[in-house]
Amino acid sequence: EGTLAPGAIDVFGSFFSFDPITSTFTVIKYLDNLSTIGYVIKDAPLLASNGLLYGVSESSYENGSVLGSEKLFSYNPVTGVFNTLYDFNLSTGTVQSKLMQATNRKIYMTSADGGFYKRGSIMTYDLTTNALATIYVSRGYNNPDPGPNDFERAANNPLIQASNGKIYLASKFGGNGNLGVTSMLNPDGSSYQINDSFESLLVNQGTVPAGGLLQIGEFLYGTTLNGDDVNFSYGTIYKRSLTSSNSTVTFLKTLDIYEGSKPNGSFVKNPTFNRIYTTCKSGGNNIQGTIIEFNLDTNKFRVTHNFQTVDGTAPDRGGLTIVDFATLSVKDVALKNTVVIYPNPTSTSFTVGMDNVESIEIFNLLGQKVKKKKNTKTVNIENLENGVYMLNIKSENKSHTAKLIKD
C-alpha cells in the first residue's frame, strides 16, 4: 500500500530507507505508473564510489502498458534526486541481478536474455562517460554454432570481482547439461573461461547455482538450488579455489528438507567469526524457509531460524546484511563531524579547523583510500569524483573522523 501521486493509478512498490539506530522506516519514492525509474525493483541498490546509489527496475509503465522498458537508475542520497540513466532494450536484454562495481570504478551487470544469441551477456556502465557497453555475449546452452555450452538466463546471479582482479559469475543455467556453470573473465571482457559445469545424478553434488559468489581467502563460496537426485537432497553449499589452475568444485554440505530447500542467495560473512550465512526459500521445520549458517573453521552447519507465517515466509534472493550493533552507534557518530571542515560541500579544496594536523586520509564509500596529505590543514580535491568521502584526521596522536561532500 502507498500514497498515490496526482494522476497515478496504482502503486507497485516503494524505494525506502531504514535507520537501524532509530528503527525509522522512510519511503523515499512510491513506484507507481508515473515512476520515471520504473518498478519491480528486486535487488538492493549498489552504493558506488561516487556516493550515489544505482539500481535496476525490471519493468515500467509506458504508453498505457505495465510492460514498458527496464531501466538503470541512480539516486543521490544527499540531494534526493533520482535519474534514469538507460532504458534497456531487446539488444541489451533484462538485468535481473544485483549490480557490482569493480576496482576500475565501472558498474558491472549480467543480462538474462541479451546479446546476439539472446542467452545473456555481461555489460558495464561507465560512471565517467555515462556509457553502457556489452563486454561479453554468451552463446548459451546447446547453441548450433560451434563452441562450449555457455551460461544463460543469469537471474539473481550477481557478479563478483575477486582479489586476483578477475570477474566471476555463477549462472543457474548453461553448461553441458544446462544445469549451471561458473565462469570468469577479465574486466575488459577478454579471456572468458568456463570453470565448472554442474551435472545431475552425481551423489552428494548439486545443480543450478543460485545467487552470487563470496570470496573468503583463496576460495569462492556459493550454493545450488538443487541437490543430487540419488539421495533426494534439497540444495548444496560448495566452494572452488582461486589459486589452483585445475580446481574443481568441492561440495561442503547437502541439505535435507528439514534444514532448508533451495538456498537462493549470496552468502554474507560474520565480521567477527569465520561463518557464512544465507537463506533457503523453503524447507525447514515449517517448510517455509530457513536462515542457515556454515562454520568455515569446523565445517559445521546449523539452521539459525525457521520462517513461519507470523514472521514471513519464502525469503527470495537471500538479501541478508550483517549489522554490528556493538559498533553501529560509534559509526553513526563518526558521520557527524567531530571537527570543523570548511567549506563543506566543496568542489576544489577544504580546510580542517584544528591545529597540529599530522595527516589527513580520504576514503571513498567503498573503503578505498584515495588521497593522503601530511602536515597540512588544507587539501585540494579537484581530481576526485563528486560524492561523499570519509576523512581520517590525525592530530596530537589522536584520530578524528569527518564526512566530506565533493560537489
Side-chain angles (χ1 to χ4, degrees):
E1 296 181 358
T3 302
L4 290 173
I9 60 173
D10 204 353
V11 172
F12 302 101
S14 66
F15 190 94
F16 63 88
S17 66
F18 177 74
D19 187 334
I21 298 294
T22 63
S23 296
T24 302
F25 180 94
T26 304
V27 174
I28 298 171
K29 184 179 182 65
Y30 287 110
L31 305 177
D32 53 36
N33 62 299
L34 299 180
S35 170
T36 57
I37 64 170
Y39 60 94
V40 190
I41 300 173
K42 294 183 178 179
D43 290 292
L46 165 74
L47 177 61
S49 57
N50 60 3
L52 301 185
L53 295 168
Y54 291 84
V56 291
S57 59
E58 296 184 15
S59 191
S60 63
Y61 195 96
E62 295 177 359
N63 301 319
S65 170
V66 295
L67 301 177
S69 62
E70 299 81 4
K71 300 179 185 295
L72 172 69
F73 65 89
S74 67
Y75 172 69
N76 188 325
V78 176
T79 64
V81 174
F82 286 91
N83 280 308
T84 299
L85 307 173
Y86 195 87
D87 289 343
F88 296 111
N89 51 51
L90 292 177
S91 177
T92 60
T94 58
V95 175
Q96 301 176 25
S97 300
K98 186 176 173 64
L99 307 177
M100 182 274 291
Q101 186 177 30
T103 54
N104 60 11
R105 306 205 328 264
K106 292 182 179 180
I107 294 176
Y108 285 72
M109 63 198 84
T110 54
S111 163
D113 51 5
F116 179 80
Y117 299 104
K118 306 301 180 188
R119 305 292 185 91
S121 63
I122 297 174
M123 300 181 290
T124 63
Y125 182 77
D126 193 315
L127 299 183
T128 303
T129 64
N130 298 321
L132 189 83
T134 298
I135 63 170
Y136 183 79
V137 174
S138 175
R139 301 174 63 263
Y141 166 73
N142 200 25
N143 193 308
D145 290 348
N149 286 308
D150 211 340
F151 76 86
E152 68 171 69
R153 288 184 285 162
N156 188 28
N157 290 131
L159 300 163
I160 179 178
Q161 184 174 34
S163 57
N164 59 11
K166 294 185 179 293
I167 308 295
Y168 286 81
L169 167 68
S171 176
K172 291 180 184 177
F173 301 103
N176 295 334
N178 202 26
L179 294 172
V181 297
T182 66
S183 55
M184 66 181 184
L185 74 167
N186 291 328
D188 63 359
S190 63
S191 301
Y192 178 85
Q193 175 183 323
I194 297 174
N195 292 325
D196 309 289
S197 181
F198 294 83
E199 300 180 22
S200 64
L201 301 177
L202 297 178
V203 176
N204 295 326
Q205 297 191 19
T207 60
V208 192
L213 298 165
L214 172 68
Q215 181 183 358
I216 300 177
E218 65 174 83
F219 291 99
L220 295 174
Y221 292 84
T223 63
T224 65
L225 284 176
N226 300 335
D228 69 72
D229 296 330
V230 179
N231 295 325
F232 300 102
S233 57
Y234 292 84
T236 69
I237 299 171
Y238 69 88
K239 71 175 182 180
R240 77 170 333 271
S241 173
L242 284 173
T243 58
S244 176
S245 58
N246 57 357
S247 171
T248 57
V249 164
T250 300
F251 290 89
L252 303 172
K253 169 67 179 176
T254 57
L255 303 177
D256 65 43
I257 189 63
Y258 297 105
E259 295 171 329
S261 174
K262 299 190 180 304
N264 63 341
S266 304
F267 278 114
V268 293
K269 183 181 180 300
N270 187 306
T272 305
F273 303 103
N274 206 20
R275 301 170 186 174
I276 54 179
Y277 302 84
T278 191
T279 59
C280 295
K281 191 172 183 178
S282 59
N285 292 341
N286 306 305
I287 317 298
Q288 294 179 326
T290 60
I291 299 176
I292 58 176
E293 173 194 270
F294 190 80
N295 188 318
L296 300 178
D297 291 329
T298 63
N299 286 331
K300 298 290 186 180
F301 169 92
R302 72 185 181 106
V303 176
T304 63
H305 182 70
N306 286 276
F307 287 99
Q308 53 186 323
T309 303
V310 295
D311 61 12
T313 65
D316 199 10
R317 302 210 176 195
L320 294 174
T321 298
I322 292 181
V323 178
D324 186 354
F325 279 93
T327 61
L328 186 58
S329 59
V330 176
K331 294 177 183 177
D332 187 58
V333 171
L335 292 176
K336 302 172 183 177
N337 293 358
T338 57
V339 295
V340 175
I341 305 295
Y342 62 92
N344 188 11
T346 179
S347 58
T348 54
S349 63
F350 68 90
T351 299
V352 178
M354 64 188 309
D355 296 324
N356 303 319
V357 174
E358 299 164 6
S359 67
I360 301 173
E361 294 177 317
I362 305 177
F363 297 84
N364 62 24
L365 292 183
L366 296 178
Q368 300 164 333
K369 186 190 298 182
V370 295
K371 198 159 195 171
K372 180 176 181 179
K373 289 292 182 181
K374 293 184 177 181
N375 302 316
T376 182
K377 301 191 332 183
T378 301
V379 180
N380 187 290
I381 58 169
E382 289 181 291
N383 63 326
L384 298 183
E385 286 188 341
N386 291 348
V388 180
Y389 295 88
M390 297 302 299
L391 307 181
N392 183 27
I393 304 161
K394 292 185 179 180
S395 173
E396 299 178 340
N397 296 320
K398 293 182 180 180
S399 293
H400 306 268
T401 304
K403 180 174 70 173
L404 174 72
I405 299 174
K406 164 76 183 303
D407 61 9

